[in-house]
Amino acid sequence: MAITLIKNAELVVGWDATAKSHSYMPDTDVAFDGGTITFLGRGYEGAAETVIEGRGLMVMPGLVNIHSHPSSEPLNKGFLDEIGSPGLYNSSLYEYMPIFRADADAVPHCVRVALSELLLSGVTTLADLSMAHPGWLDLLAEAGMRVCIAPMFRSARWFTKNGHVVEYEWDEKAGEKAMEEALRLIERAEQHECGRLFGMVVPAQIDTCSAGLLKDSHAEAAKRGLSWQIHAAQSVVEFHEITRRHGTTPIGWLDSMGLLGERSIIGHGIFLDDHPSTRWHTETDLQRLAETGTTVAHCPTVFARRGIAMKDLGRYIRSGVNMGIGTDTYPHNMLDEMRLAAHIARTQAGNPRTLRTTDLFNAATIGGAMALGRDDIGRLAVGCKADFSLVDITHPMIRPAYDPIRSLIYSAGDRALKAVYVDGAKVVEDGEVLTMDYRQAAEHLHEAQKRVAAGVQQRDWAHRSPEKIAPPTFHWS
């Protein structure tokens, strides 16, 4: 027995099983033994090996991030902030992201930077959508985080030769082989000694996967009791490509194959049949998502950079769609992502009432947990995992604290996080990651970015320099 007690926490965001919602619980004790919560309430009288004084602290459930790319995105900082292909509806997917891709030596540093930033913003569970790379599982275990490993595979690669036409190079056999390798990697992850890794089946993008690969991967996910995720309705280019191929929208095509459902996740899901940029002759996509219980992973930052937005998060939630939050890009700060999600939803709706903070926090906790098939994370209750953050609610950016969660999301952000625990182990304390060297990884990544920049001109279809593609804010003298 190694029970830890948080004694008389000023506030706990606990789970009310009767109301099926989070609830503010003042003056509350939280005890956990190893990685499991054993007591949550007032007047704990049992033994405890370690006691944490809870005055001035809010205990908050760990955030659940269901869509992220830690092995690549951190290196793009500074490159992709302001660019999108004008001939491809301002997406950066096809022309720019492939030429700024991290090399093999940079990948571990990318992962350490991303996971450090996620932990510092209160994320305790992450879905890592990456291409398989050496040492991946041990690297994730090192972080101390709970990770859903999601190795991506596909039947084709996309590219552009001119900046306004996307082409596809198909190799369906290679896609099938990559899926088999991904499934084996998931099996290894679930057997990892850390006990915090689990899996998800992820055909990479709707336009790069054959119908056979989509159906087979979905069937494998169902057989193994795993969630299934795909990037879909993420660009205007993709929307038009799928309607050209199949005469129906991306969401409609997935639904026609029986691929929507309670364990299916749509990465982004922005361009539905009623989006102003992709008006189609139907208006059924949103209803399809809601009726099938499909989750949408919402990641507003990467799209907002290019003037693109979901119409709108509040509308999806009111329609009955289960929503989760992800950090598709840098900075990997979940609290920042949540704040932007709220502001963009209200801006797009022209209505400050379209989205409540309750809905936003649910998406970042229980909505994500539901998508991953977990009822033991994203909430604080007896029997749940001891994954949580300690928030300093005496922090001046929390004060005045009429509503501490609002103050945290809209004002203080990660600056008020005192500590983060995963599986009962402390992984962040006073703004420092305890499991990885964040600063050293960032320094290594800085050097890696120089290497990648040196090869951009050779990889770019127009042989442009990085400075030509992404001009610096000021002239270097």
Side-chain angles (χ1 to χ4, degrees), residues 23 43 74 88 94 103 142 149 169 226 256 262 275 349 375 382 422:
S23 174
L88 297 170
Y94 313 100
D103 58 29
E142 172 191 322
I149 184 171
E169 182 179 79
L226 302 176
S256 72
E262 292 182 359
H275 191 282
D375 60 6
V382 173
V422 180

Side-chain angles (χ1 to χ4, degrees), residues 216-229:
D216 289 347
S217 64
H218 191 269
E220 283 290 343
K223 183 174 74 174
R224 295 162 184 257
L226 302 176
S227 294
W228 181 87
Q229 183 167 177

Side-chain angles (χ1 to χ4, degrees), residues 115 128 133-143 145 147-151 184-194 196-198:
L115 267 58
D128 178 358
H133 53 86
W136 188 10
L137 303 185
D138 290 338
L139 191 55
L140 297 179
E142 172 191 322
M145 186 182 282
V147 182
C148 179
I149 184 171
R184 286 195 293 270
L185 188 58
I186 289 170
E187 290 171 357
R188 285 174 47 207
E190 292 173 339
Q191 296 165 4
H192 196 278
E193 61 184 5
C194 76
R196 296 186 307 275
L197 306 184
F198 60 110

Side-chain angles (χ1 to χ4, degrees), residues 158-397:
W158 58 40
F159 60 94
T160 180
K161 296 178 181 177
N162 55 22
H164 64 269
V165 175
V166 175
E167 300 181 51
Y168 297 84
E169 182 179 79
W170 291 86
D171 187 341
E172 294 191 24
K173 290 295 184 184
E176 294 165 6
K177 181 180 178 182
M179 183 182 79
E180 293 171 1
E181 293 171 350
L183 293 173
R184 286 195 293 270
L185 188 58
I186 289 170
E187 290 171 357
R188 285 174 47 207
E190 292 173 339
Q191 296 165 4
H192 196 278
E193 61 184 5
C194 76
R196 296 186 307 275
L197 306 184
F198 60 110
M200 176 161 57
V201 180
V202 182
Q205 300 98 9
I206 190 173
D207 49 335
T208 62
C209 292
S210 68
L213 190 68
L214 294 178
K215 292 175 182 177
D216 289 347
S217 64
H218 191 269
E220 283 290 343
K223 183 174 74 174
R224 295 162 184 257
L226 302 176
S227 294
W228 181 87
Q229 183 167 177
I230 187 167
H231 291 84
Q234 70 167 333
S235 77
V236 175
V237 169
E238 172 225 284
F239 185 95
H240 291 323
E241 180 67 21
I242 297 300
T243 57
R244 181 189 66 80
R245 291 182 195 173
H246 306 292
T248 186
T249 67
I251 300 302
W253 190 48
L254 292 173
D255 193 26
S256 72
M257 293 186 286
L259 302 181
L260 302 182
E262 292 182 359
R263 295 299 295 275
S264 295
I265 305 170
I266 304 301
H268 308 313
I270 293 172
F271 294 105
L272 306 186
D273 53 9
D274 63 352
H275 191 282
S277 296
T278 48
R279 292 292 305 186
W280 191 241
H281 64 86
T282 62
E283 291 190 2
T284 59
D285 281 355
L286 194 60
Q287 182 182 358
R288 291 174 190 264
L289 292 170
E291 290 180 349
T292 56
T294 302
T295 296
V296 172
H298 182 42
C299 313
T301 299
V302 71
F303 295 97
R305 285 184 182 140
R306 294 169 185 93
I308 298 168
M310 174 182 280
K311 305 286 183 176
D312 65 273
L313 176 56
R315 181 176 77 104
Y316 280 55
I317 291 171
R318 288 193 303 278
S319 297
V321 179
N322 185 53
M323 299 299 297
I325 303 292
T327 54
D328 185 86
T329 187
Y330 60 90
H332 288 82
N333 188 312
M334 189 75 158
L335 292 168
D336 282 359
E337 198 83 28
M338 292 165 68
R339 180 169 62 250
L340 185 63
H343 291 167
I344 288 188
R346 293 163 186 156
T347 302
Q348 291 301 312
N351 179 1
R353 293 169 296 281
T354 191
L355 180 73
R356 302 176 303 155
T357 307
T358 307
D359 301 321
L360 181 65
F361 192 78
N362 285 345
T365 53
I366 56 173
M370 183 186 304
L372 298 179
R374 304 286 298 254
D375 60 6
D376 58 346
I377 59 174
R379 67 188 74 185
L380 298 180
V382 173
C384 289
K385 297 296 184 183
D387 297 358
F388 58 87
S389 294
L390 300 181
V391 180
D392 177 7
I393 54 175
T394 70
H395 192 286
M397 293 197 72

Side-chain angles (χ1 to χ4, degrees), residues 410-464:
Y410 302 125
S411 297
D414 58 358
R415 288 162 291 204
L417 263 60
K418 182 77 172 171
V420 178
Y421 288 74
V422 180
D423 218 30
K426 187 187 293 186
V427 291
V428 171
E429 183 172 27
D430 294 329
E432 296 290 335
V433 179
L434 304 179
T435 54
M436 296 175 295
D437 192 332
Y438 176 31
R439 287 175 174 79
Q440 183 183 72
E443 285 302 316
H444 286 312
L445 196 58
H446 178 68
E447 296 304 316
Q449 191 183 63
K450 295 177 184 177
R451 294 196 308 271
V452 171
V456 163
Q457 202 158 352
Q458 288 72 40
R459 293 187 292 272
D460 177 46
W461 68 268
H463 304 298
R464 294 163 293 184

